[in-house]
Amino acid sequence: MSKISANELRSKYLNFFKSKGHTIIPSASLVPEGDASVLFTTAGMHPLVPYLLGQEHPGGKRVTNVQKCIRTGDIEEVGDNTHLTFFEMLGNWSFGDYFKEDAIKWSYEFLTNKETGLGLPLERLAITCFAGDEDAPKDTESAEIWKSLGVPEHRISFLPKEKNWWIAGTTGPCGPDTEMHYWIDDGTPASREYDVNEPKWVEIWNDVFMQFEKMPDGKLVPLKKPNVDTGMGLDRVLAVLNGQSSVYDTEIFKGMWEVLALSQDIMTNDEVKKARIVLDHVRAGVFMVSDGVEPSNKDRGYVLRRLLRRAMVMARMLNLKDKWLEALVGKVIAEYASAYGELVEKSEQIFQVILAEQKKFEATLEKGLKQFELRIKSQESRISGTDAFDLYQTYGFPKELTKELAVQAGQVFDAVKEREYEEEFKKHQELSRTASAGQFKGGLASHSEKIVRLHTATHLMNAALRQVLGENVWQKGSNITEERTRFDFTHGQKMTPEEIAAVEALVNDWVARDLQVKKETMSLEEARNLGAIGVFGEKYADTVSIYTVYDPNTNEVVSREFCGGPHVEHTGVIGQFKVQKEEASSAGVRRIKAVIE
Ligand code: SER
């Protein structure tokens, strides 16, 4: 019997912060609104960025929520004791209101108080604070507050930026954080000091003190009013509170395990990991579909497809019985019915979309796996990038899945193979561009050509705005449809008709000059050094892709942005660019709608 259920934990958290003057707000969608630069909401702070930058929140200066999140950056680790692609983040927020003192005091109270909070024993808690560097000083202030509340000095460590600093991506609101770690309840006493390499210390909560806005040129500009962003992972805390060593052992997953009809006691570690991947990926898939995502070959749709197909392959390896997916989807919906009513409302659509994807993939899954086996067994033809592409195109195997299967079979799927795959992919895209729509084998739906042209036009507009209005222009969000591009950027006043005309003229000049567009992959640092412009809110990996628009004759660079693409290869194909509307979006942020003709 669990000591506390997920529903109890959600309401306990929200009510605690309500009692401290916070307004309870609902979770935003997993699909970020008005920001085409990120695929999914990856943290509680993501939908709240405008408010962290000074916009007024309708709920006031203190709000609290449980936010649905998706992170696929750690997908390799999913299936261990703590990693998940879908998770919920409990959070409390101060928009220029309270700061370190109250945030830490309330975190402490909620964690340790038996009546108002969770009643966790202090002996099992450890705290980390920011160690300080050239950007900001050592956060002794937070450490002193923790000490004044009774946390012993030896349980407070100072760690560098990689650990105790938070930013969503490379630009935007950021600052030092203080993290709370819990020594899992396995009967052993906690070590005297926190040890970052000790898996028994599990991070359960993070209080971020957002004091700066990081600009794409790397500069930190102090925010007018500092904010607090906190994030507590619901699954982790639930496991900790109930004495479970894995997030997959909580009551949330209990019914889902039953559906799989597997007994963990007689499974190998590898089988347990596969089963956990099935549970995690299907749960994430259900939530994605409920927020309107459908499987496809690009962007969010591709992530969903990849998760569902990976789950299906794992399920086959585990010999799950027929109808396992249908039953599991039903269990996920039932488990979250009271906390996320949208799952019940959309249940018909969820079943339909997920089962259609199963039907589609199962038609080729067996054959694809056989092909894979054949190719892997034959000495001469080990899995190549071209094989991986064939498996994708003909049998619908996402590249990452083939790669994983190859690695499991003891093969290397290195950068050379990755390149081979990409080349095949590109060749295919070129072929498909010349073919009429809908004729491609395997249904490789490329981005619509109009959207791709508008996308490159948007990069040019961004560069033109910075030339005309100055370097204070930063992209805040964008959204592109077949009809138009919508672009939000920082700028204090309405643009004059002359400024708008100048932006149009610049873009159209670059189009007329038929500049080259190239994509390069490089380290984040290199990209920064080249002055690439980041897009607000994106969490960039260590290796990033950069699009540069340049004049091949003079090497003049007119635009260089962090971007996943796709883009046109040369600007001549874009067409005539025209601004349709320029209006206010929010305080200090303007919005342009533009078209190409
Ligand atoms: N933004 C921080 C995180 O995601 C705290 O919410 O960890």
Side-chain angles (χ1 to χ4, degrees):
M1 193 52 199
S2 294
K3 285 182 227 149
I4 182 167
S5 71
N7 281 338
E8 282 164 353
L9 177 55
R10 288 188 200 98
S11 63
K12 190 151 204 179
Y13 187 93
L14 296 175
N15 287 326
F16 177 85
F17 283 100
K18 193 173 165 199
S19 79
K20 310 289 182 198
H22 293 64
T23 307
I24 300 176
I25 58 166
S27 170
S29 170
L30 282 171
V31 176
E33 270 170 38
D35 183 354
S37 65
V38 274
L39 294 180
F40 293 104
T41 298
T42 57
M45 59 90 69
H46 201 163
L48 297 171
V49 165
Y51 312 106
L52 294 167
L53 291 175
Q55 196 176 314
E56 221 164 283
H57 193 286
K61 290 182 169 172
R62 297 178 184 187
V63 303
T64 180
N65 62 355
V66 185
Q67 175 62 48
K68 303 179 271 189
C69 302
I70 294 274
R71 280 187 200 172
T72 51
D74 298 328
I75 197 164
E76 312 288 329
E77 266 122 332
V78 167
D80 69 3
N81 283 337
T82 51
H83 286 88
L84 300 157
T85 55
F86 169 86
F87 61 96
E88 295 166 86
M89 209 172 235
L90 304 157
N92 55 288
W93 309 84
S94 158
F95 302 126
D97 188 22
Y98 62 86
F99 204 45
K100 292 183 183 177
E101 176 99 31
D102 285 324
I104 293 177
K105 201 173 68 194
W106 290 332
S107 288
Y108 181 83
E109 181 184 339
F110 186 70
L111 288 177
T112 59
N113 194 292
K114 283 200 178 74
E115 275 83 50
T116 55
L118 304 175
L120 292 175
L122 187 55
E123 315 81 83
R124 288 184 177 274
L125 285 173
I127 305 297
T128 57
C129 298
F130 179 54
D133 65 7
E134 65 283 0
D135 284 335
K138 183 174 177 181
D139 192 7
T140 44
E141 198 186 336
S142 291
E144 287 306 318
I145 301 169
W146 284 115
K147 267 196 269 175
S148 76
L149 294 164
V151 177
E153 197 159 356
H154 60 86
R155 280 285 171 78
I156 302 175
S157 321
F158 290 91
L159 297 177
K161 208 174 229 152
E162 299 83 69
K163 295 281 170 202
N164 282 81
W165 184 275
W166 217 91
I167 183 164
T170 49
T171 56
C174 60
D177 65 39
T178 179
E179 295 184 1
M180 291 143 265
H181 307 261
Y182 187 78
W183 181 270
I184 55 169
D185 221 340
D186 62 348
T188 61
S191 64
R192 188 179 148 79
E193 283 169 19
Y194 172 73
D195 175 359
V196 71
N197 295 316
E198 171 53 69
K200 286 187 186 179
W201 281 118
V202 176
E203 184 207 327
I204 53 169
W205 204 355
N206 185 9
D207 290 358
V208 187
F209 303 116
M210 295 193 154
Q211 285 163 270
F212 306 99
E213 180 175 1
K214 187 164 184 180
M215 298 303 177
D217 61 4
K219 283 204 191 83
L220 291 182
V221 177
L223 291 171
K224 279 200 193 83
K225 289 184 183 164
N227 308 297
V228 174
D229 149 20
T230 92
M232 174 188 262
L234 178 122
D235 299 84
R236 286 191 186 179
V237 172
L238 203 59
V240 154
L241 289 172
N242 292 306
Q244 289 137 345
S245 52
S246 156
V247 289
Y248 294 94
D249 292 340
T250 66
E251 44 109 8
I252 291 181
F253 285 105
K254 194 163 177 282
M256 300 181 213
W257 276 108
E258 280 161 17
V259 165
L260 300 192
L262 295 170
S263 167
Q264 285 191 71
D265 303 338
I266 53 164
M267 289 164 78
T268 63
N269 286 348
D270 183 55
E271 284 167 341
V272 169
K273 181 162 182 184
K274 285 192 167 81
R276 287 174 173 182
I277 290 172
V278 170
L279 297 177
D280 169 84
H281 287 13
V282 172
R283 178 174 77 159
V286 167
F287 274 94
M288 284 183 189
V289 177
S290 81
D291 277 338
V293 184
E294 295 205 8
S296 75
N297 286 333
K298 58 176 181 156
D299 302 339
R300 282 178 204 108
Y302 181 73
V303 177
L304 171 61
R305 169 158 285 170
R306 190 182 146 195
L307 293 179
L308 291 177
R309 293 189 173 193
R310 187 171 184 230
M312 287 182 233
V313 169
M314 301 294 160
R316 191 187 162 280
M317 292 173 169
L318 292 166
N319 287 319
L320 295 187
K321 60 182 182 344
D322 282 356
K323 306 251 182 212
W324 68 272
L325 184 53
E326 195 175 344
L328 185 53
V329 169
K331 254 302 175 248
V332 176
I333 295 174
E335 177 59 44
Y336 287 96
S338 59
Y340 298 94
E342 65 265 31
L343 297 189
V344 180
E345 272 160 44
K346 307 244 177 83
S347 61
E348 208 176 305
Q349 186 190 346
I350 296 170
F351 278 113
Q352 191 259 321
V353 169
I354 294 183
L355 297 181
E357 179 65 7
Q358 183 184 31
K359 207 163 155 212
K360 204 171 197 172
F361 188 49
E362 279 195 337
T364 55
L365 169 64
E366 284 300 321
K367 282 192 212 131
L369 279 175
K370 267 203 198 100
Q371 271 301 316
F372 177 84
E373 297 292 330
L374 273 177
R375 293 180 196 209
I376 217 149
K377 271 189 197 132
S378 116
Q379 281 290 5
E380 315 85 69
S381 64
R382 300 169 76 79
I383 293 290
S384 65
T386 314
D387 288 332
F389 182 72
D390 277 352
L391 285 164
Y392 170 63
Q393 196 203 357
T394 317
Y395 304 102
F397 276 47
K399 177 190 72 178
E400 297 78 4
L401 183 60
T402 301
K403 187 172 161 179
E404 180 178 353
L405 295 174
V407 171
Q408 266 176 20
Q411 291 208 5
V412 189
F413 199 95
D414 55 11
V416 176
K417 293 185 180 180
E418 291 273 0
R419 256 203 308 280
E420 224 172 71
Y421 178 96
E422 296 305 331
E423 272 159 25
E424 283 301 316
F425 194 90
K426 221 172 137 199
K427 251 193 253 164
H428 181 88
Q429 269 189 331
E430 272 154 20
L431 278 178
S432 62
R433 243 181 248 132
T434 53
S436 56
Q439 276 185 347
F440 332 131
K441 196 169 156 231
L444 238 195
S446 66
H447 292 67
S448 102
E449 187 217 271
K450 179 87 185 284
I451 287 186
V452 174
R453 288 194 286 130
L454 270 166
H455 191 183
T456 313
T458 309
H459 278 217
L460 296 181
M461 167 166 60
N462 191 358
L465 283 167
R466 290 170 62 83
Q467 282 202 16
V468 173
L469 303 176
E471 306 253 308
N472 290 327
V473 167
W474 298 112
Q475 177 171 349
K476 285 289 179 201
S478 76
N479 175 283
I480 300 173
T481 66
E482 288 279 337
E483 283 74 43
R484 50 93 185 126
T485 171
R486 193 183 76 200
F487 186 77
D488 291 353
F489 60 100
T490 53
H491 184 55
Q493 63 267 1
K494 189 165 177 54
M495 286 175 73
T496 63
E498 293 74 33
E499 285 167 342
I500 293 176
V503 167
E504 285 174 341
L506 264 176
V507 173
N508 284 319
D509 176 49
W510 291 331
V511 170
R513 281 167 61 192
D514 197 18
L515 304 172
Q516 291 285 316
V517 181
K518 76 172 165 196
K519 179 182 185 177
E520 290 163 294
T521 309
M522 59 184 84
S523 72
L524 191 55
E525 203 188 334
E526 263 176 282
R528 284 216 190 98
N529 291 341
L530 282 173
I533 303 179
V535 181
F536 193 86
E538 175 67 289
K539 179 139 189 145
Y540 294 106
D542 294 341
T543 310
V544 290
S545 84
I546 298 294
Y547 273 90
T548 306
V549 184
Y550 68 105
D551 185 331
N553 302 317
T554 59
N555 279 333
E556 178 203 353
V557 169
V558 307
S559 151
R560 181 171 271 144
E561 285 197 28
F562 288 72
C563 184
H567 283 279
V568 301
E569 284 169 12
H570 53 107
T571 59
V573 298
I574 290 176
Q576 186 74 12
F577 169 85
K578 197 163 169 33
V579 172
Q580 260 191 343
K581 203 168 184 188
E582 191 271 350
E583 59 191 348
S585 163
S586 58
V589 178
R590 308 292 303 175
R591 167 169 292 182
I592 282 185
K593 286 190 184 138
V595 294
I596 48 177
E597 281 153 5

